[in-house]
Amino acid sequence: MTSGDPWKPFQDIINDQWQEARRFKESAAGVVIGHLAPDVPEEILHASGAFPVSIEGASSAVSMAQAHIPGYTCSHVMGTLDLGLSGKLDIIDALVIPYVCDSTRNLSHLWKRLFPDKPSELLRLPKRLEFEGARDYLITEYRRLYEWACGLTGNLPDTERLAESLKLYEKSRALLRRAFLKHRSSPDVWTVTLLRSLFVSASRSDRSKHLEWMKALPWDCPENTESDLAAVYLKGKVWDPPQLSGIMDELGMCLAEDETAAGHRAVMVEGVTNGDPFEALADRSLATIPYTGYHVEPTGLVNGFLERVKKSQASGVILLNPKFCEAAAFDTPDFVNALKNESIPNLVLETSARSFSVGQLKLRLEAFREMLGMEM
Ligand code: SF4
């Protein structure tokens, strides 16, 4: 890439994920708070004066964590623990773990014991989203998280400052939504890999800078309505392995939708920026497509998914399941049956950094691509 390449800032962060966190620490000597997917409101951490940075343990090689946690733990949790044990998370001062399953709760207990100098907080997301008290509960949790983060940075909680952070992040989300639309209309230029670089780097960057970088992208490139790429609906937790985007590009695929936890799913709901920011954050979270670890009435869950797939006009669906994720394993058969009943091609990929082969993954995707019946 040349220095004039507008995609370079995003690619740089993909290549060095702590680059911006390091800069923040060096310039402001501030607090860096890591957070795991899904659904940790970054604006709360930002408003506390901290630098929020997302951590994806899923694609890390595991060598030390198995001494502390059962081998049948998903790569997301196992990888995060290993990153901590191997010193690769030394840059972070604290960690927020969203409580979505037993593995995340176990990680929280282990983290406190193994890293007493790096405070952690378990964000207890409501499990029953349809419960009438879910909204008030979530608002209370968000207030608690804000007070905890401010306790680390030494700033006083300030609703006005949170409202400002909310505005900044909403602007960023709006541009990420536009980027997704651009990928759909010009997938040859705005490839899966480039689109992914925007989403991944957003949660590792100073968000104001990221917003400015995004403005310089080739928004006016022509639409390609004749594209013969196969549009795929992707559902899962994280893009694991990260090579997946490159393989999709190589095999002539694009995204009809990205329903992964921190993908397009995380930005697709337009939040409000007036009124109480805690309420606005809770409303946005409750309107977001429920993550697999939440409890939702099963028929509605499957029908909602099927409706979204049809609306996206995807040629097929990839279910990207982390190996040993009970929640995903529980939901997947119902999703697959529903897709089969509608004759929608689908592929379930169970991935894990511990038993992973790019070649094998590519082979399965090649076969799936052929099934979609379009020219490559
Ligand atoms: S929900 Fe699944 S992928 Fe996410 S942390 Fe739990 S076991 Fe791992």
Side-chain angles (χ1 to χ4, degrees):
M1 287 186 172
T2 66
S3 57
D5 185 342
W7 300 97
K8 188 173 183 301
F10 312 105
Q11 205 55 52
D12 284 348
I13 293 170
I14 299 295
N15 295 333
D16 177 7
Q17 63 173 315
W18 309 119
Q19 171 191 298
E20 290 295 300
R22 248 188 340 260
R23 281 193 187 137
F24 173 80
K25 253 197 153 147
E26 281 160 13
S27 65
V31 173
V32 174
I33 303 182
H35 59 89
L36 304 186
D39 303 340
V40 174
E42 294 160 290
E43 40 278 82
I44 289 184
L45 307 179
H46 180 267
S48 76
F51 185 96
V53 62
S54 70
I55 296 170
E56 284 185 10
S59 46
S60 319
V62 170
S63 62
M64 303 165 86
Q66 294 197 53
H68 300 273
I69 200 165
Y72 49 83
T73 305
C74 76
S75 298
H76 185 60
V77 163
M78 185 81 97
T80 302
L81 190 59
D82 213 90
L83 287 172
L85 291 166
S86 57
K88 292 184 182 134
L89 294 183
D90 284 356
I91 185 93
I92 67 164
D93 300 292
L95 179 66
V96 181
I97 303 169
Y99 174 29
V100 285
C101 64
D102 288 347
S103 298
T104 46
R105 193 188 50 196
N106 292 346
L107 177 65
S108 167
H109 293 316
L110 276 169
W111 190 271
K112 282 188 194 304
R113 181 181 282 259
L114 293 168
F115 307 102
D117 299 335
K118 287 189 193 298
S120 67
E121 190 54 63
L122 191 64
L123 177 66
R124 296 170 180 87
L125 296 165
K127 299 291 279 180
R128 291 171 56 201
L129 298 177
E130 288 143 0
F131 181 58
E132 60 175 353
R135 183 175 185 266
D136 287 346
Y137 171 86
L138 194 52
I139 290 168
T140 309
E141 269 301 277
Y142 285 167
R143 288 189 191 280
R144 194 177 63 79
L145 182 69
Y146 191 29
E147 279 171 22
W148 171 81
C150 285
L152 297 175
T153 59
N155 290 320
L156 286 175
D158 178 345
T159 310
E160 282 304 309
R161 210 170 53 235
L162 179 58
E164 286 309 309
S165 294
L166 185 61
K167 278 183 198 152
L168 169 66
Y169 277 75
E170 276 303 327
K171 272 190 205 160
S172 169
R173 287 198 179 93
L175 214 48
L176 287 167
R177 282 196 291 278
R178 205 178 137 206
F180 194 83
L181 289 176
K182 197 68 201 167
H183 166 72
R184 295 225 47 188
S185 64
S186 312
D188 310 49
V189 178
W190 289 62
T191 62
V192 181
T193 302
L194 292 175
L195 182 76
R196 280 295 299 151
S197 73
L198 302 183
F199 278 77
V200 175
S201 58
S203 293
R204 296 176 182 170
S205 305
D206 174 320
R207 215 50 174 244
S208 315
K209 274 162 74 178
H210 193 270
L211 199 51
E212 287 310 307
W213 295 335
M214 275 206 291
K215 287 179 187 165
L217 291 171
W219 297 101
D220 53 2
C221 76
E223 293 195 359
N224 183 358
T225 47
E226 304 297 311
S227 169
D228 56 5
L229 301 182
V232 170
Y233 196 107
L234 190 74
K235 181 173 176 61
K237 179 151 188 166
V238 286
W239 279 69
D240 175 35
Q243 292 94 328
L244 178 62
S245 57
I247 297 174
M248 287 180 74
D249 285 328
E250 202 182 316
L251 297 179
M253 296 183 188
C254 62
L255 289 165
E257 187 51 272
D258 172 9
E259 210 182 271
T260 54
H264 187 231
R265 165 197 177 271
V267 304
M268 62 169 66
V269 174
E270 187 180 345
V272 295
T273 51
N274 50 10
D276 181 88
F278 290 105
E279 291 183 12
L281 285 168
D283 288 338
R284 196 189 66 217
S285 179
L286 292 171
T288 299
I289 296 169
Y291 176 65
T292 193
Y294 300 150
H295 300 171
V296 182
E297 190 278 312
T299 311
L301 183 75
V302 174
N303 290 344
F305 169 64
L306 206 52
E307 247 171 62
R308 294 193 298 277
V309 171
K310 287 184 187 169
K311 199 170 154 205
S312 75
Q313 300 185 322
S315 307
V317 175
I318 296 176
L319 294 155
L320 194 58
N321 291 350
K323 195 165 184 171
F324 304 122
C325 173
E326 267 188 14
F330 189 75
D331 289 341
T332 298
D334 289 343
F335 290 145
V336 169
N337 282 338
L339 293 168
K340 273 189 186 154
N341 289 342
E342 297 286 333
S343 304
I344 300 172
N346 61 85
L347 173 70
V348 180
L349 288 174
E350 221 182 33
T351 60
S352 164
R354 279 163 281 159
S355 55
F356 157 66
S357 146
V358 178
Q360 200 182 44
L361 175 80
K362 194 171 168 194
L363 209 61
R364 293 196 65 195
L365 283 169
E366 268 169 0
F368 184 60
R369 178 65 177 82
E370 274 175 28
M371 221 169 104
L372 300 181
M374 295 182 198
E375 293 299 315
M376 283 173 63

